[in-house]
């Protein structure tokens, strides 16, 4: 999913070639490339709209991610083993990349925390041609905290168990929860630092919210690859 940069990267271990399973060599790459490219196109459109919405040039973020080590990383959970209510499939975290885009899983379970309320919310993606996008730590860093990385987890909930029982009764599909996730990164060698105008706006938002400035996170200048390694 990545373009080879016209320079030698300082972070070769973060820009390794993809591993192709030998048992699926004939179908793996064309199938995954087709889906991954569709996800990449969609999330880059979101990156461009985000830039415009923040008053920046449309290509600000996509240029910064031109040689990013983007990753299509579907994960599977066996609900025969891990289908009990309240089982944690992915613990509470935020993503370290720029933007994360998801296809709709057949089994619910994703939960997010709203920044304005701090409440845990079960995500509901309607059937059809819909995708879910979350902000990552690189977007938080470059905006000086104006946009926060989304906190989330995947836990078997009541809606998950209902779908499990329905699927069992139909007997047509395996009880495997697939999270079809694409992680869009800024280029590893890009100098990551807050854009001054956005950092100023972030400070204004904190002031209006009455937040304690002594507890504000600082965003130092560093290479994106260093941010990933930290």
């Amino acid at each position: 999913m990545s373009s080879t940069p016209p320079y030698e990267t300082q972070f070769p271990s973060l820009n390794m070639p993809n591993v192709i399973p030998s048992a699926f060599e004939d179908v793996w790459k064309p199938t995954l490339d087709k889906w991954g490219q569709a996800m990449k196109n969609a999330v880059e459109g979101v990156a461009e709209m985000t830039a415009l919405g923040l008053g920046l040039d449309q290509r600000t973020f996509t240029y910064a991610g031109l040689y990013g080590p983007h990753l299509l990383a579907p994960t599977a959970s066996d609900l025969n083993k891990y289908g009990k209510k309240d089982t944690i499939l992915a613990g509470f975290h935020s993503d370290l990349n720029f933007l994360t885009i998801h296809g709709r899983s057949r089994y619910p379970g994703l939960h997010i925390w709203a920044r304005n309320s701090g409440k845990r919310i079960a995500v509901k993606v309607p059937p059809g041609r819909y995708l879910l996008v979350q902000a990552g730590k690189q977007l938080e860093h470059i905006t000086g905290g104006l946009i926060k990385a989304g906190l989330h987890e995947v836990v078997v909930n009541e809606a998950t168990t209902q779908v499990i029982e329905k699927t069992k009764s139909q007997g047509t599909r395996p009880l495997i929860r697939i999270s079809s996730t694409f992680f869009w990164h800024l280029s590893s060698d890009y100098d990551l630092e807050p854009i001054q105008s956005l950092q100023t706006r972030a400070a204004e938002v904190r002031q209006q919210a009455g937040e304690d400035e002594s507890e504000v996170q600082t965003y130092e200048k560093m290479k994106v690859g260093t941010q990933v390694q930290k």
Side-chain angles (χ1 to χ4, degrees):
M1 296 296 105
S2 304
S3 300
T4 303
Y7 51 79
E8 185 175 354
T9 178
Q10 297 179 38
F11 304 93
S13 65
L14 301 180
N15 293 268
M16 302 291 284
N18 293 329
V19 175
I20 300 176
S22 57
F24 307 101
E25 194 169 2
D26 56 335
V27 297
W28 184 271
K29 191 175 189 303
T31 303
L32 274 292
D33 280 357
K34 182 178 179 181
W35 176 238
Q37 190 61 52
M39 297 278 271
K40 183 172 182 282
N41 291 343
V43 77
E44 286 182 343
V46 175
E48 291 185 344
M49 288 188 285
T50 303
L52 289 173
L54 292 171
L56 306 173
D57 181 88
Q58 178 177 337
R59 295 268 300 161
T60 299
F61 299 139
T62 50
Y63 177 78
L66 186 60
Y67 304 113
H70 315 302
L71 182 65
L72 176 63
T75 56
S77 301
D78 187 347
L79 298 177
N80 289 294
K81 294 181 178 180
Y82 307 109
K84 185 178 178 181
K85 189 173 181 294
D86 297 326
T87 299
I88 298 172
L89 304 178
F92 177 80
H93 68 285
S94 59
D95 296 337
L96 57 80
N97 54 302
F98 189 84
L99 287 173
T100 303
I101 186 168
H102 306 259
R104 180 178 182 270
S105 176
R106 290 187 174 88
Y107 296 91
L110 178 64
H111 299 79
I112 61 172
W113 274 259
R115 180 181 180 184
N116 61 340
S117 69
K119 292 183 179 179
R120 182 173 180 264
I121 301 169
V123 174
K124 297 179 182 179
V125 181
R129 299 165 66 90
Y130 298 97
L131 297 166
L132 171 70
V133 180
Q134 292 176 285
K137 296 297 287 186
Q138 291 170 10
L139 178 54
E140 178 176 331
H141 197 121
I142 205 170
T143 63
L146 181 62
I147 297 175
K148 292 286 190 180
L151 294 167
H152 54 285
E153 67 178 359
V154 181
V155 178
V156 175
N157 58 25
E158 186 65 35
T160 318
T161 59
Q162 289 175 3
V163 177
I164 290 173
E165 293 307 314
K166 181 179 179 180
T167 304
K168 282 181 178 179
S169 67
Q170 294 173 340
T172 55
R173 300 195 65 88
L175 294 179
I176 304 294
R177 184 186 189 277
I178 302 294
S179 176
S180 183
T181 309
F182 185 93
F183 299 95
W184 194 86
H185 286 257
L186 299 182
S187 305
S188 299
D189 297 271
Y190 181 77
D191 289 321
L192 182 62
E193 62 180 325
I195 296 171
Q196 186 58 55
S197 62
L198 303 183
Q199 191 171 37
T200 300
R201 287 170 61 183
E204 292 170 352
V205 170
R206 291 194 302 270
Q207 185 178 28
Q208 292 170 4
E211 296 182 16
D212 186 351
E213 285 294 316
S214 66
E215 299 180 359
V216 173
Q217 181 177 343
T218 58
Y219 302 94
E220 301 174 2
K221 181 177 180 179
M222 65 182 72
K223 294 290 186 183
V224 168
T226 301
Q227 176 261 341
V228 171
Q229 291 175 336
K230 291 179 69 173

